């Protein structure tokens, strides 16, 4: 065979091997995405929704007890369980993905702020306040936020007296928890149906499971910065702090909810859910793509956010926001640094498509 022909054959062989390596590499990346989505569903999403369902069941049971016997001890237990249910919900709220998001069920479970005037009218106008009555109402007067208002609108003694004096309030509260339980069950069933589709959505597109997770992290950080931190800091009020704009300010659990959201952001990125067999997350995917440098930057940013959260401490931001607003502002800066790494650097590197974050409901 002439020398030139041998050389051309050699180049062709190298080209074929290179194409084969690319094909194998893509196949392996699909396998990595499958591992990540499976771990997220099995160790993260499904357990989170089961925990919330259990919390909603306990909340409804306490509501029944309180409706029958409206005592201070029962009200205190009821309030405590609301806080546990709200923190549990924050794990589920992170996974407002795909077909679940299209159903708008999240808005029926937790939408803030509650329309207080409309809620009071809904209670006073109700002739028969039951599950059907609550189900017919808009999302601004139902769900966890409405329950928080009724439970924590005043100090314990005053709240207790309002329930004892007006049985409609207790009836509405009972119906709210019954409806919340129904929605928790429906949401868990929806994930049972959608789960297989989610874990098999390996494509690099807007509907791809990994793309949905990137957007979930971005959305969680953006909404926390804007609503849970920015508005109370006074970003829209000339720098004047607005404590009443803190999330769950009535129950003094705003920091607990921010921490719960961040824990899910961290778990989603690192895949380190409790009882996970693989702990496969975006960190492992970046390793597979040989970008340890970006991984180290994101890990450092996550650790910085976690450290700042620990320094702030406490279940609420009220006192910190009033006395040390600069510390809260630092948390916002830390979240922003992490947000940019995920939204710009990581999304660009893995080919994720960031979609506008438009929260809306009925």
């Amino acid at each position: 065979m002439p020398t030139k022909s041998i050389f051309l054959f050699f180049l062709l062989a190298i080209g074929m091997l290179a194409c084969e390596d690319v094909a194998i590499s893509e196949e392996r990346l699909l396998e990595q995405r499958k591992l990540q989505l499976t771990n997220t569903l099995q160790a993260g999403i499904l357990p989170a929704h089961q925990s919330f369902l259990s919390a909603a069941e306990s909340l409804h049971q306490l509501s029944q007890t309180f409706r029958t016997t409206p005592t201070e001890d029962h009200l205190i237990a009821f309030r405590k369980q609301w806080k546990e249910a709200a923190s549990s919900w924050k794990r589920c709220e992170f996974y407002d993905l795909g077909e679940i998001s299209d159903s708008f069920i999240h808005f029926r479970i937790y939408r803030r702020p509650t329309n207080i005037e409309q809620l009071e009218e809904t209670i006073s106008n109700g002739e028969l306040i039951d599950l059907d009555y609550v189900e017919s109402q808009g999302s601004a007067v139902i769900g966890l936020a409405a329950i928080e208002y009724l439970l924590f609108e005043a100090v314990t003694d005053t709240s207790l007296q309002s329930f004892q004096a007006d049985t409609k309030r207790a009836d509405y509260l009972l119906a709210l928890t019954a409806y919340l339980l129904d929605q928790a069950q429906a949401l868990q069933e929806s994930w049972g149906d959608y789960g297989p589709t989610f874990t098999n959505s390996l494509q690099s597109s807007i509907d791809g499971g990994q793309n949905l997770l990137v957007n979930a992290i971005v959305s969680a950080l953006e909404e926390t910065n804007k609503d849970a931190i920015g508005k109370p800091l006074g970003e829209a009020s000339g720098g004047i702090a607005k404590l009443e704009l803190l999330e769950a300010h009535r129950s003094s659990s705003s920091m607990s909810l921010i921490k719960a959201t961040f824990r899910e952001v961290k778990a989603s990125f690192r895949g380190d859910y409790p009882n996970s067999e693989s702990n496969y997350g975006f960190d492992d995917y970046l390793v597979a793509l040989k970008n340890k440098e970006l991984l180290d930057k994101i890990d450092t940013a996550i650790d910085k956010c976690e450290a700042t959260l620990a320094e702030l401490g406490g279940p609420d931001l009220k006192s910190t926001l009033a006395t040390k607003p600069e510390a809260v502002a630092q948390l916002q800066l830390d979240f922003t640094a992490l947000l940019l790494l995920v939204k710009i650097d990581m999304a660009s590197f893995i080919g994720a498509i960031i979609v506008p974050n438009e929260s809306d409901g009925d």
Side-chain angles (χ1 to χ4, degrees), residues 253-356:
S253 52
S254 54
M255 177 56 80
S256 295
L257 300 190
I258 290 174
K259 287 182 176 180
T261 296
F262 179 74
R263 281 195 298 269
E264 215 57 32
V265 167
K266 184 178 97 170
S268 176
F269 178 78
R270 293 178 174 171
D272 57 351
Y273 301 101
N275 302 317
S276 171
E277 295 182 1
S278 68
N279 285 335
Y280 197 101
F282 281 106
D283 55 350
D284 300 284
Y285 192 72
L286 290 176
V287 169
L289 291 175
K290 304 185 186 307
N291 197 337
K292 183 70 163 50
E293 181 181 358
L294 178 56
L295 171 58
D296 289 343
K297 288 180 180 179
I298 295 176
D299 273 338
T300 299
I302 288 175
D303 291 342
K304 180 65 170 65
C305 292
E306 198 162 35
T308 303
L309 282 168
E311 290 173 5
L312 287 171
D316 195 25
L317 275 177
K318 284 183 181 178
S319 58
T320 305
L321 195 58
T323 60
K324 296 189 298 181
E326 69 281 356
V328 183
Q330 181 59 52
L331 177 63
Q332 190 180 43
L333 290 175
D334 293 341
F335 278 167
T336 298
L338 175 59
L339 169 64
L340 293 177
L341 283 170
V342 174
K343 185 176 183 178
I344 298 176
D345 297 60
M346 189 177 83
S348 176
F349 180 71
I350 69 175
I353 303 168
I354 302 299
V355 298

Side-chain angles (χ1 to χ4, degrees), residues 60-71 74 174:
H60 182 51
Q61 290 171 0
L62 285 169
S63 182
Q64 291 174 312
T65 300
F66 181 71
R67 177 64 185 87
T68 304
T69 315
T71 66
H74 289 158
L174 178 60

Side-chain angles (χ1 to χ4, degrees), residues 81-94:
Q81 183 57 33
W82 182 91
K83 293 180 180 182
E84 293 182 10
S87 291
S88 180
W89 166 246
K90 281 295 176 177
R91 294 182 61 196
C92 302
E93 186 179 57
F94 179 84

Side-chain angles (χ1 to χ4, degrees), residues 22-292:
V22 171
I24 292 174
S25 176
E26 179 63 22
E27 181 180 349
R28 287 175 179 171
L29 287 179
L30 290 176
E31 292 174 353
Q32 304 299 304
R33 291 176 195 161
K34 179 69 173 180
L35 284 172
Q36 180 185 7
L37 298 181
T38 299
N39 180 50
T40 300
L41 177 69
Q42 297 297 333
I45 295 173
L46 296 182
H49 286 77
Q50 179 57 54
S51 293
F52 176 61
L53 176 58
S54 297
E57 289 175 340
S58 296
L59 192 69
H60 182 51
Q61 290 171 0
L62 285 169
S63 182
Q64 291 174 312
T65 300
F66 181 71
R67 177 64 185 87
T68 304
T69 315
T71 66
E72 181 176 348
D73 287 344
H74 289 158
L75 179 58
I76 291 173
F78 200 172
R79 286 178 163 184
K80 180 180 178 182
Q81 183 57 33
W82 182 91
K83 293 180 180 182
E84 293 182 10
S87 291
S88 180
W89 166 246
K90 281 295 176 177
R91 294 182 61 196
C92 302
E93 186 179 57
F94 179 84
Y95 300 105
D96 191 19
L97 312 173
E99 294 177 9
I100 305 300
S101 181
D102 294 340
S103 72
F104 290 105
I105 190 171
H106 277 223
F107 287 98
R108 304 293 291 176
I109 292 174
Y110 186 49
R111 177 185 174 183
R112 57 183 291 264
T114 294
N115 187 323
I116 304 303
E117 182 178 354
Q118 184 181 343
L119 173 58
E120 293 292 354
E121 290 179 358
T122 300
I123 294 175
S124 62
N125 293 339
E127 294 182 5
L128 176 61
I129 297 179
D130 56 11
L131 180 59
D132 290 337
Y133 183 67
V134 167
E135 191 170 14
S136 69
Q137 304 303 315
S139 60
V141 296
I142 62 174
L144 283 165
I147 295 172
E148 183 203 16
Y149 167 72
L150 291 173
L151 283 176
F152 296 93
E153 62 173 315
V155 296
T156 304
D157 291 343
T158 307
S159 291
L160 187 61
Q161 291 171 6
S162 68
F163 284 116
Q164 292 171 336
D166 184 0
T167 57
K168 279 189 174 183
R169 299 185 79 77
D171 288 341
Y172 194 72
L173 189 56
L174 178 60
L176 282 177
T177 61
Y179 182 69
L180 182 72
L181 178 56
D182 276 2
Q183 295 302 291
Q185 291 171 331
L187 183 57
Q188 185 191 47
E189 292 171 2
S190 294
W191 266 110
D193 295 335
Y194 175 57
T197 299
F198 172 74
T199 57
N200 288 315
S201 299
L202 307 180
Q203 69 274 19
S204 296
S205 66
I206 291 178
D207 295 328
Q210 190 182 70
N211 197 82
L212 293 175
L213 286 177
V214 174
N215 279 276
I217 293 176
V218 169
S219 178
L221 292 172
E222 286 183 339
E223 290 181 10
T224 299
N225 264 355
K226 177 184 176 182
D227 295 329
I229 300 176
K231 289 181 179 179
L233 270 175
E235 287 184 347
S237 54
I240 301 174
K242 298 286 187 178
L243 299 183
E244 70 276 10
L245 296 182
L246 284 167
E247 183 175 12
H249 70 279
R250 292 184 177 86
S251 58
S252 298
S253 52
S254 54
M255 177 56 80
S256 295
L257 300 190
I258 290 174
K259 287 182 176 180
T261 296
F262 179 74
R263 281 195 298 269
E264 215 57 32
V265 167
K266 184 178 97 170
S268 176
F269 178 78
R270 293 178 174 171
D272 57 351
Y273 301 101
N275 302 317
S276 171
E277 295 182 1
S278 68
N279 285 335
Y280 197 101
F282 281 106
D283 55 350
D284 300 284
Y285 192 72
L286 290 176
V287 169
L289 291 175
K290 304 185 186 307
N291 197 337
K292 183 70 163 50

